[in-house]
Amino acid sequence: MIFIKSTAVPLSAALEIIFRKSYELSQVPDRWRSSTITPLKKKAPFSNPSNYRPVSITSFFCRVFEKCLAKQMIADCESYVIQKAALRSNLIFRGLSTNNAAVMVNAYTTYVRPMVEFSPSVAFPVFDREAVKLEKLQNKVTRLISYKCMGYNFENRPLPVERNEMLKLNTLMYRRKVNDFKLAYEMLKSNLRGAGFKVCREKFRTKIREYSFANRVGKVLYDVLRKGKIPTNYAEFMNVMCKE
């Protein structure tokens, strides 16, 4: 690793060629397909081979290439989903002649909103700028509803927060938080009835780990436990968690 860091600049040109050819030809070098297995000790006695845990170490350059691809693929997936959802919302507004706001909201929550909540990589973005892109979709829909069904225009249109309250819509960010807590309750409900457990707040070196499901819910559980016990009732659990 020290050698790679010290020769990063001259290696970057060669790696660019390898990465580009691998992507264009849909092939990877043979060396990237093999890994080095290192046994790690689990428990004594160490003379027993079953007391070792095998750890597979793949090529460092292969992992770098995978990270580059994953970052671009997630960004393309988000852009594609947002564009497709925006196109569907436009088709709905053109196809429905009604001026009933409730009907338009029902069409949006049924046919458009599920599109931006179907995939964890899209529904739970890592960066704030990605969450803002998703929120703009709902802001656009509520703006169109206010124009078509409520008689507002560009000059006197309400703010996005006010439109959500008028149409009884929660923000996508709030819905993501509620869905996290619903899943957390299903996972923890067997341990909430008298069984104690410890919630740890860990520091992560990457954004993906920092905004993972375990850390998102763990931070809220940690704050709730500091104030008292976690309720066992579902309604009380959701009420307490959503207030944090």
Side-chain angles (χ1 to χ4, degrees):
M1 185 61 68
I2 297 176
F3 172 77
I4 294 175
K5 289 183 178 180
S6 60
T7 59
V9 176
L11 279 177
S12 60
L15 287 176
E16 181 185 2
I17 298 174
I18 296 174
F19 290 170
R20 189 179 299 277
K21 286 295 183 181
S22 178
Y23 178 77
E24 293 176 352
L25 301 176
S26 300
Q27 297 178 356
V28 295
D30 294 336
R31 178 63 182 82
W32 291 5
R33 300 181 182 181
S34 60
S35 61
T36 302
I37 299 178
T38 302
L40 294 182
K41 299 175 182 178
K42 289 195 302 183
K43 59 182 180 179
F46 300 128
S47 58
N48 188 352
S50 61
N51 292 336
Y52 287 80
R53 177 170 61 91
V55 176
S56 178
I57 303 175
T58 57
S59 172
F60 172 77
F61 300 120
C62 181
R63 297 199 298 271
V64 172
F65 185 46
E66 289 174 351
K67 287 184 178 181
C68 295
L69 285 179
K71 182 178 180 180
Q72 187 60 44
M73 289 175 66
I74 292 175
D76 292 343
C77 182
E78 291 174 351
S79 300
Y80 172 76
V81 169
I82 293 174
Q83 291 175 4
K84 191 174 181 179
L87 177 61
R88 181 172 293 185
S89 64
N90 291 334
L91 292 175
I92 290 175
F93 277 92
R94 292 177 183 177
L96 295 178
S97 59
T98 180
N99 290 329
N100 190 329
V103 174
M104 302 300 292
V105 170
N106 189 32
Y108 161 70
T109 57
T110 304
Y111 298 107
V112 179
R113 191 170 64 186
M115 297 179 64
V116 296
E117 295 181 340
F118 83 101
S119 172
S121 60
V122 176
F124 298 96
V126 175
F127 299 102
D128 293 337
R129 63 176 182 272
E130 298 167 350
V132 170
K133 290 180 181 179
L134 294 174
E135 211 65 53
K136 283 182 177 180
L137 173 66
Q138 179 161 300
N139 293 341
K140 175 186 176 182
V141 172
T142 57
R143 184 175 68 250
L144 294 176
I145 293 177
S146 67
Y147 292 165
K148 183 175 182 179
C149 306
M150 300 180 179
Y152 291 102
N153 53 41
F154 182 80
E155 287 77 14
N156 64 354
R157 63 180 178 179
L159 296 174
V161 177
E162 298 173 345
R163 296 198 299 266
N164 287 335
E165 293 179 355
M166 294 165 60
L167 299 173
K168 298 180 180 180
L169 287 172
N170 293 318
T171 62
L172 298 178
M173 186 175 297
Y174 179 81
R175 285 179 57 80
R176 290 194 290 270
K177 184 167 68 171
V178 169
N179 290 333
D180 273 348
F181 298 154
K182 287 180 179 178
L183 179 58
Y185 180 81
E186 293 297 323
M187 297 172 63
L188 298 174
K189 63 182 179 181
S190 60
N191 295 323
L192 293 178
R193 302 185 182 278
F197 57 92
K198 185 178 180 180
V199 178
C200 301
R201 298 184 66 176
E202 299 182 4
K203 294 183 179 179
F204 299 102
R205 292 182 296 177
T206 62
K207 284 287 185 180
I208 294 178
R209 289 286 296 164
E210 181 181 356
Y211 290 98
S212 63
F213 169 77
N215 201 34
R216 292 196 307 265
V217 176
K219 288 191 295 186
V220 182
L221 285 174
Y222 181 85
D223 294 335
V224 172
L225 284 173
R226 287 174 56 192
K227 301 176 182 178
K229 293 184 178 180
I230 298 177
T232 58
N233 181 268
Y234 173 75
E236 295 177 359
F237 176 86
M238 294 299 295
N239 186 36
V240 170
M241 295 290 285
C242 291
K243 285 183 178 179
E244 294 296 328

